[in-house]
Amino acid sequence: MMLPSKLTLVSAAIALSLVSTACSNNKENSDQGQIENHSEKPTIAEAKAFINSAEAELAAISIEQNRAEWIYSNFITDDTAALSAKVAEKQIATSVQFATQAAQYAELPLDEVNKRKLNILRSSLVLPAPLDPAKNAELAKISSELNGLYGKGKYCFEDGRCLTQPELSAIMGESADPALLLEVWQGWREIAKPMRSLFEREVELANEGAKDLGYANLSELWRSQYDMQPDEFSAELDRLWGQVQPLYESLHCYVRGELNQKYGDDVVAEQGPIPAHLLGNMWAQQWGNVYNTVAPDNADPGYDVTELLAQHGYDEIKMVQQAEQFFSSLGFEPLPETFWQRSLFVQPQDRDVVCHASAWDLDNLDDIRIKMCIQKTAEDFTVIHHELGHNYYQRAYKSQPFIFKNSANDGFHEAIGDTIALSITPSYLKQIGLLDDVPDASKDIGLLLKQALDKVAFMPFGLMIDQWRWKVFSGEIQPQDYNKAWWELRQKYQGVMAPTERNETDFDPGAKYHVPGNVPYTRYFLAHILQFQFHKALCDIAGNEGPVHRCSIYGNEQAGAKLNTMLEMGQSQPWPQALAVVTGKEEMDASAVLDYFAPLQTWLDEQNQNANRQCGW
C-alpha cells in the first residue's frame, strides 16, 4: 500500500526531488542570508506570521503536487513524469527553505498550537540539505544516484536472463530449491555494493544539514517526530518489542523446526538463526509464502474468499461498494460521488498506469480517491478495505489547519487501514452474505498462523531497519562496520543470518529500497502494534465477548463514532492524546497482539514442546 505524501514535506521520492534544492539556490540562499544576518532576536509575532505564510504556501503547493502525481500515476509518459518531478522539486525546495527558517524560532515561548506547527515544519524533513550550496548540490546528486542504482538493479543468470527485483522476489516466494533461492538472494545484493561509499557520504552531508536545523545528528531529527524526547522514544520501542518478543520466538522456533524437516540439517539447522533466503521473501521480512510448508494438516478453513466473490457476482466496483458499506455500517457518511467518478479501479488497456494500490486526497477536503488495478481476489478485497481506511481518515481531518492534516504519528495512517482489515473475519463474511456458516474454532489456528507469518514475523524487521540507521547517523556504527552491524542486528532481533559469508565489500542494507530511498521505517513497526491495540479497543467498545481474533466491528456505530473522533484530530494533538480517545490510555501497548494470537501461541508452544525443540538462537 502507498499513501501519497501531502504534508510530510518529503516523500519516498525525496532523493530525486532534492535536486530542486540545488536548482532553487538563489531564493533560498537569500532567505538564509537574512536569517544568518538577523541583527535582533526574532519575535513571537514574526514567528506566527512565518508559520501562517508557510502553511498557506505549502497547502497551495500540495494541491498542485497531488494533481500532478495523480496524472502521472494514471497516464505514464515522459511528459507527465517531467511535470510531476517539477512540482515535486518545487515542494521539496520550499519545505527545505521553511525548515531552515523555522529553526530560528525554535526557542520562542509560542502557544501550543503554533509551537506544534513550528516543530512539524522543522522536524519533518527526512534528508535535510546543508546550507552550503555546493554540499546541497552534492547531496541531491548522491540521493539521485542511490535511487537510480536501486531502480535499475537487475541480476543476470548464466543463461542470459536478467531479472528485476519484483521478478526475483517472485522466485523467492515460489521456489523451494535452496540452491536457486541462494543464487537469487546473493544476486540481488550485488546491486547494493556500489551504494556503499555514496551512502557514507550522504550520511555525512545529511548530518550536517540536521545540525543546521539545530539537531545533534540525523538520528536525533528522525526520532524527534514522535512527541517525545528522542531517547525516550527509543526506549519506548524497546519496551514494545519486549512485549511481543516471546510470541515471535515461539513462531520462529516452530517455523525453523518445520523448515528443518523440509530441507534437512545441511540447509537449516535445528538450532540457531534461520538462513535468510529460506523464508519466502527477499528480505525475510514476511514469511507468508512458506505457509503451505509450515501449516498444520487441518488448517483449511473450508472456504476460499476468492471463490466466494465469484460465486456471488462480485466485480471490481461491487468489491469497493462493499468496503464502503463497512464504513457506512459504522456511521460514516457515504463516499462523495467524485470518488466513484475519479478513482481508478480497473487497469486500463490503452495506457500504462501505476497499479500499486494507493489512497489519495487531492484537494485536502473531499476529493478522495483510490488507485488500484483491482483483481477479484481475497487479497484485493482486504486491500480495498485497507485503502478506504486511509480515505476516511483523510476526510475526517479535513477541517484541521493544513499542517495538522495528517495522522497522529506516521504509524497511525497504516494502522487504521490494517485495523479495518482485521475485521474481515468469517463472521463479517457471513453477515454480508458471502459465507453461509462460520467455521468452528478448530480452524482458527490455520487462519492465525497465516496472519502471524506476515504480521508477527514482520515486527522485528520493522524495528531493526531504523535501529541500524539511527546508530549509523549518530556515529555509533562506523562505516567500516556497516555490514557487520547490519547482520548483528538482524540476528539479535530476527534470529536470521546471512546464508553465505558476508564482509565489508558488501552493503546488504542497500538491497532494501527504504535505505537508498531514505524512507523511515519505524512507522511500519508502530502500525503493526497499533492496529491490534485499536482493534481490541474497538471490539471492547462494540461489546465483543468472544476471542478478539474472531471479532468484527462491522455494524457498530458506537465503535465507529469513537474511531471518527480520533481520526478528526489529525495531527493537531500529541499522538498519546489521540490514542487515548479510542483505547482509554496514552501508552502504546503490545499486549493486544498477544491477546489476538493467544490461541496460536498456546498451539505453537505445544508443537515446539512435543517436538522437543530448543527455542531461541
Side-chain angles (χ1 to χ4, degrees), residues 142-182:
I142 289 173
S143 300
S144 181
E145 286 181 28
L146 285 170
N147 263 280
L149 285 169
Y150 190 95
K152 293 181 292 186
K154 292 182 179 181
Y155 172 64
C156 297
F157 293 88
E158 288 186 0
D159 62 8
R161 288 179 301 142
C162 294
L163 303 186
T164 63
Q165 180 266 305
E167 293 168 328
L168 294 169
S169 286
I171 295 174
M172 296 293 292
E174 296 167 3
S175 176
D177 178 355
L180 176 59
L181 292 172
L182 180 59

Side-chain angles (χ1 to χ4, degrees), residues 131 305 353 466 567:
L131 297 180
V305 173
V353 300
D466 282 349
L567 301 185

Side-chain angles (χ1 to χ4, degrees), residues 483-503:
N483 226 49
K484 175 187 174 185
W486 173 261
W487 285 106
E488 286 175 349
L489 287 170
R490 294 207 65 178
Q491 181 162 328
K492 173 185 175 181
Y493 286 105
Q494 283 187 281
V496 302
M497 66 179 186
T500 60
E501 188 70 28
R502 312 301 288 171
N503 58 48

Side-chain angles (χ1 to χ4, degrees), residues 64 141 180 270 417 448 480 502 505 525 529 564 614:
E64 183 181 357
K141 183 174 183 292
L180 176 59
E270 289 185 343
L448 287 171
Q480 64 267 23
R502 312 301 288 171
T505 66
F525 172 76
I529 300 295
N564 190 55
Q614 185 67 41

Side-chain angles (χ1 to χ4, degrees), residues 513-553:
Y513 167 73
H514 298 71
V515 174
N518 296 296
V519 181
Y521 213 74
T522 300
R523 64 186 65 170
Y524 302 111
F525 172 76
L526 295 178
H528 277 68
I529 300 295
L530 288 167
Q531 64 184 268
F532 291 99
Q533 191 173 359
F534 289 146
H535 179 67
K536 185 177 187 303
L538 292 171
C539 285
D540 289 342
I541 293 168
N544 175 64
E545 295 180 352
V548 68
H549 68 271
R550 288 195 148 215
C551 166
S552 176
I553 62 170

Side-chain angles (χ1 to χ4, degrees), residues 157 270 303 311 330 350 499 561:
F157 293 88
E270 289 185 343
Y303 66 89
Q311 291 171 11
L330 301 179
D350 61 342

